[in-house]
Amino acid sequence: QFDKKSIIGKNAKKLKFVFEDTSKWINHLSSVFASGVTQKDEFKISGPHGLKILDVRIIPEFDIHNKVVSVICSSRDITELKLKEDELQAAKIKAEESDYLKSAFLANMSHEIRTPLNGILGFSQLLKKKDLQSEKRQLYSDIINNNGHQLLTIISDIIDISKIEAGQVKIEENIVDIHDMF
């Protein structure tokens, strides 16, 4: 790091600073000399201590005729701040993506749950018919039972996913016969 005494009044070349965008720096300097208005911007520079991001103000100095004769440059190292901003931006993008995935998951689960539930409700209404033949009554009961099992499986899967996300699943190592599994 440079201390104030080693920087004040020195030329950037003498300090071995290299501006990433030299034309931007020259444009700001020219603008201050032409308009007399302070310019403020961020500049990336590389120097003996690596790449730095500086918040720079270029302030005009006027003579007695109100003509700009020189400029004063003040800067503040905002490298750490910019890195934190980048980290926050990445975290925000990740959170938004996670939120989108959760919304998509909930929409999908809503559909998966409604399908067997609609079968259960629909066929249970059909069972209320008084003149229903026993074969149809048995078929409707089987459909309700199958949809009930399907719904229970879906709910168990949702609970398992929640446990995995919460880190509550314990892995057990066992010997498994692959042929039996398939």
Side-chain angles (χ1 to χ4, degrees):
Q1 294 262 355
F2 292 105
D3 61 18
K4 287 182 183 180
K5 288 180 183 177
S6 66
I7 292 178
I8 293 175
K10 296 287 195 304
N11 182 311
K13 285 184 180 179
K14 287 182 183 176
L15 295 172
K16 298 185 177 145
F17 288 150
V18 177
F19 287 90
E20 193 173 85
D21 187 350
T22 307
S23 63
K24 179 177 159 184
W25 173 249
I26 291 169
N27 287 340
H28 281 310
L29 282 173
S30 300
S31 176
V32 171
F33 276 104
S35 69
V37 176
T38 298
Q39 293 288 317
K40 177 184 178 239
D41 208 336
E42 293 174 7
F43 291 94
K44 291 182 180 177
I45 63 165
S46 50
H49 302 290
L51 182 69
K52 297 286 183 186
I53 302 171
L54 301 178
D55 178 30
V56 177
R57 292 179 195 273
I58 307 169
I59 306 161
E61 286 190 314
F62 300 94
D63 65 8
I64 59 171
H65 303 292
N66 210 23
K67 181 180 175 189
V68 178
V69 291
S70 64
V71 294
I72 298 172
C73 295
S74 69
S75 66
R76 178 173 64 108
D77 185 350
I78 57 170
T79 307
E80 290 293 319
L81 178 66
K82 286 297 181 180
L83 291 173
K84 296 281 186 210
E85 282 179 7
D86 290 346
E87 287 173 12
L88 286 173
Q89 185 64 24
K92 178 185 175 214
I93 290 169
K94 188 175 180 180
E96 287 171 348
E97 184 179 294
S98 177
D99 185 52
Y100 170 77
L101 291 173
K102 283 187 180 185
S103 295
F105 173 77
L106 290 174
N108 188 39
M109 284 300 103
S110 172
H111 171 74
E112 292 296 321
I113 290 170
R114 286 180 186 191
T115 301
L117 193 55
N118 283 333
I120 292 168
L121 294 174
F123 283 99
S124 64
Q125 289 296 317
L126 291 174
L127 281 176
K128 290 183 178 180
K129 289 185 176 182
K130 294 182 187 213
D131 60 342
L132 194 62
Q133 298 171 356
S134 67
E135 300 90 37
K136 283 197 174 189
R137 185 175 302 278
Q138 183 61 43
L139 176 66
Y140 295 168
S141 293
D142 290 342
I143 291 172
I144 291 170
N145 190 36
N146 289 337
N147 281 306
H149 285 293
Q150 185 181 358
L151 185 58
L152 189 58
T153 300
I154 291 168
I155 291 171
S156 293
D157 289 346
I158 292 170
I159 291 169
D160 288 344
I161 290 170
S162 296
K163 285 180 181 179
I164 290 169
E165 285 184 353
Q168 295 178 345
V169 174
K170 294 180 182 175
I171 298 174
E172 293 181 23
E173 291 185 28
N174 291 316
I175 296 172
V176 178
D177 186 344
I178 299 288
H179 294 292
D180 288 346
M181 284 183 68
F182 286 112

Coordinates of all heavy atoms in Angstrom, one line a residue, residues 24-25 27-29 31-32 35 37-43 54-60 72-76 78 81-82 85:
K24 N -11.0 6.4 -20.8 CA -12.0 6.9 -19.9 C -11.4 7.9 -19.0 O -12.0 9.0 -18.7 CB -12.6 5.7 -19.1 CG -13.6 6.0 -18.1 CD -14.1 4.7 -17.5 CE -14.7 4.9 -16.1 NZ -15.1 3.7 -15.5
W25 N -10.2 7.6 -18.5 CA -9.5 8.6 -17.6 C -9.2 9.9 -18.3 O -9.5 11.0 -17.7 CB -8.2 7.9 -17.1 CG -7.3 8.8 -16.3 CD1 -6.1 9.2 -16.7 CD2 -7.5 9.3 -15.0 NE1 -5.5 10.0 -15.8 CE2 -6.3 10.0 -14.7 CE3 -8.5 9.2 -14.1 CZ2 -6.2 10.7 -13.5 CZ3 -8.4 9.8 -12.9 CH2 -7.2 10.5 -12.6
N27 N -10.8 11.1 -20.9 CA -12.0 11.8 -21.2 C -12.5 12.6 -19.9 O -13.0 13.7 -20.0 CB -13.1 10.8 -21.6 CG -12.9 10.4 -23.0 OD1 -12.2 11.0 -23.8 ND2 -13.5 9.2 -23.4
H28 N -12.4 12.0 -18.8 CA -12.8 12.6 -17.5 C -11.9 13.8 -17.2 O -12.4 14.9 -16.9 CB -12.8 11.7 -16.3 CG -14.0 10.8 -16.3 ND1 -15.3 11.2 -16.3 CD2 -14.1 9.4 -16.1 CE1 -16.1 10.2 -16.3 NE2 -15.4 9.1 -16.1
L29 N -10.6 13.7 -17.4 CA -9.7 14.8 -17.2 C -10.0 16.0 -18.2 O -10.1 17.1 -17.8 CB -8.3 14.4 -17.4 CG -7.6 13.6 -16.3 CD1 -6.2 13.1 -16.7 CD2 -7.5 14.5 -15.0
S31 N -12.8 16.6 -19.6 CA -14.1 17.1 -19.3 C -14.0 18.1 -18.1 O -14.6 19.2 -18.1 CB -15.1 16.0 -18.9 OG -16.3 16.6 -18.4
V32 N -13.2 17.8 -17.1 CA -13.0 18.7 -16.0 C -12.3 20.0 -16.5 O -12.7 21.1 -16.1 CB -12.1 18.1 -14.9 CG1 -11.8 19.1 -13.8 CG2 -12.9 16.9 -14.3
S35 N -15.1 21.9 -18.7 CA -16.3 22.4 -18.1 C -16.1 23.0 -16.7 O -17.0 23.7 -16.3 CB -17.3 21.2 -18.0 OG -16.9 20.2 -17.1
V37 N -16.3 21.2 -14.1 CA -17.2 20.5 -13.2 C -16.5 19.2 -12.7 O -15.8 18.5 -13.5 CB -18.5 20.1 -14.0 CG1 -19.4 19.2 -13.1 CG2 -19.2 21.3 -14.5
T38 N -16.6 19.0 -11.4 CA -16.0 17.8 -10.8 C -16.5 16.5 -11.5 O -17.7 16.4 -11.7 CB -16.2 17.8 -9.3 OG1 -15.6 19.0 -8.7 CG2 -15.7 16.6 -8.6
Q39 N -15.6 15.6 -11.7 CA -16.0 14.3 -12.3 C -15.8 13.3 -11.2 O -14.8 13.3 -10.4 CB -15.2 14.0 -13.5 CG -15.4 14.9 -14.7 CD -16.7 14.6 -15.3 OE1 -17.2 13.5 -15.5 NE2 -17.4 15.7 -15.7
K40 N -16.7 12.3 -11.2 CA -16.6 11.2 -10.2 C -16.9 9.9 -11.0 O -17.8 9.8 -11.8 CB -17.6 11.4 -9.1 CG -17.6 10.2 -8.1 CD -18.7 10.4 -7.1 CE -18.6 9.2 -6.1 NZ -19.8 8.4 -6.0
D41 N -16.0 8.9 -10.8 CA -16.2 7.6 -11.4 C -15.4 6.6 -10.7 O -14.6 6.9 -9.9 CB -15.8 7.7 -12.9 CG -16.6 6.7 -13.8 OD1 -17.1 5.7 -13.3 OD2 -16.7 7.0 -15.0
E42 N -15.6 5.3 -11.2 CA -14.8 4.2 -10.7 C -13.8 3.8 -11.7 O -14.1 3.8 -12.9 CB -15.7 3.0 -10.3 CG -16.6 3.3 -9.2 CD -17.6 2.1 -9.0 OE1 -17.5 1.1 -9.6 OE2 -18.5 2.3 -8.1
F43 N -12.6 3.6 -11.3 CA -11.5 3.2 -12.2 C -10.8 1.9 -11.7 O -10.6 1.8 -10.5 CB -10.4 4.3 -12.4 CG -11.0 5.5 -13.1 CD1 -11.5 6.6 -12.3 CD2 -10.9 5.6 -14.4 CE1 -12.0 7.7 -13.0 CE2 -11.4 6.7 -15.1 CZ -11.9 7.8 -14.4
L54 N -10.9 1.9 -7.7 CA -10.8 3.1 -7.0 C -12.1 4.0 -7.3 O -12.5 4.0 -8.5 CB -9.6 3.9 -7.3 CG -8.2 3.3 -7.1 CD1 -7.1 4.2 -7.6 CD2 -8.1 3.0 -5.6
D55 N -12.6 4.6 -6.3 CA -13.6 5.6 -6.5 C -12.9 6.9 -6.6 O -12.2 7.4 -5.6 CB -14.6 5.6 -5.2 CG -15.7 6.7 -5.3 OD1 -16.1 7.0 -6.4 OD2 -16.1 7.2 -4.3
V56 N -12.9 7.5 -7.7 CA -12.0 8.7 -8.0 C -12.9 10.0 -8.2 O -13.9 9.9 -8.9 CB -11.1 8.5 -9.2 CG1 -10.3 9.7 -9.5 CG2 -10.2 7.2 -9.0
R57 N -12.4 11.0 -7.6 CA -13.0 12.4 -7.9 C -11.9 13.2 -8.5 O -10.8 13.3 -8.0 CB -13.5 13.0 -6.6 CG -14.7 12.3 -6.0 CD -15.1 13.0 -4.7 NE -16.0 12.2 -3.9 CZ -17.3 12.2 -4.1 NH1 -17.8 12.9 -5.0 NH2 -18.0 11.3 -3.4
I58 N -12.2 13.9 -9.6 CA -11.3 14.8 -10.2 C -11.9 16.2 -10.1 O -12.9 16.5 -10.6 CB -11.1 14.5 -11.7 CG1 -10.8 13.0 -11.9 CG2 -10.1 15.4 -12.4 CD1 -10.8 12.5 -13.3
I59 N -11.2 17.0 -9.3 CA -11.8 18.3 -8.8 C -10.9 19.4 -9.5 O -9.7 19.4 -9.4 CB -11.7 18.4 -7.3 CG1 -12.4 17.2 -6.7 CG2 -12.3 19.7 -6.8 CD1 -12.0 17.0 -5.2
P60 N -11.6 20.3 -10.2 CA -10.9 21.4 -10.8 C -10.4 22.5 -9.8 O -11.0 22.7 -8.8 CB -11.9 22.0 -11.8 CG -13.2 21.8 -11.1 CD -13.0 20.4 -10.4
I72 N -7.2 18.3 -8.9 CA -6.9 17.6 -7.7 C -7.6 16.2 -7.8 O -8.9 16.2 -8.1 CB -7.3 18.3 -6.4 CG1 -6.5 19.6 -6.3 CG2 -7.0 17.4 -5.2 CD1 -7.0 20.4 -5.1
C73 N -6.9 15.2 -7.7 CA -7.6 13.8 -7.7 C -7.6 13.2 -6.3 O -6.5 13.2 -5.7 CB -6.8 12.9 -8.7 SG -6.9 13.5 -10.4
S74 N -8.7 12.8 -5.9 CA -8.8 12.1 -4.7 C -9.4 10.7 -5.0 O -10.3 10.6 -5.9 CB -9.7 12.8 -3.6 OG -11.0 12.8 -4.0
S75 N -8.9 9.7 -4.3 CA -9.5 8.4 -4.5 C -9.6 7.6 -3.3 O -9.0 7.9 -2.2 CB -8.5 7.7 -5.5 OG -7.3 7.4 -4.9
R76 N -10.5 6.6 -3.3 CA -10.7 5.8 -2.2 C -10.7 4.3 -2.8 O -11.4 4.1 -3.8 CB -12.1 6.1 -1.6 CG -12.5 5.3 -0.5 CD -13.8 5.9 0.2 NE -14.9 5.8 -0.7 CZ -16.0 5.0 -0.6 NH1 -16.0 4.2 0.4 NH2 -17.0 5.1 -1.5
I78 N -12.0 0.9 -3.2 CA -13.3 0.3 -3.0 C -13.3 -1.2 -3.5 O -14.3 -1.8 -3.7 CB -14.5 1.1 -3.6 CG1 -14.3 1.2 -5.1 CG2 -14.7 2.4 -2.9 CD1 -15.5 1.8 -5.9
L81 N -15.2 -3.5 -1.2 CA -16.6 -3.2 -1.3 C -17.2 -3.8 -2.6 O -18.3 -4.4 -2.6 CB -16.9 -1.7 -1.3 CG -18.3 -1.2 -1.5 CD1 -19.1 -1.6 -0.3 CD2 -18.3 0.3 -1.7
K82 N -16.5 -3.7 -3.7 CA -16.9 -4.2 -5.0 C -17.0 -5.7 -5.0 O -17.9 -6.4 -5.5 CB -16.0 -3.7 -6.1 CG -16.3 -2.3 -6.5 CD -17.7 -2.1 -7.0 CE -18.0 -0.7 -7.4 NZ -19.4 -0.6 -7.9
E85 N -20.0 -6.6 -3.1 CA -21.2 -6.4 -3.9 C -21.4 -7.6 -4.9 O -22.5 -8.0 -5.2 CB -21.1 -5.1 -4.7 CG -21.4 -3.9 -3.9 CD -21.2 -2.6 -4.7 OE1 -21.0 -2.6 -5.9 OE2 -21.3 -1.5 -4.1

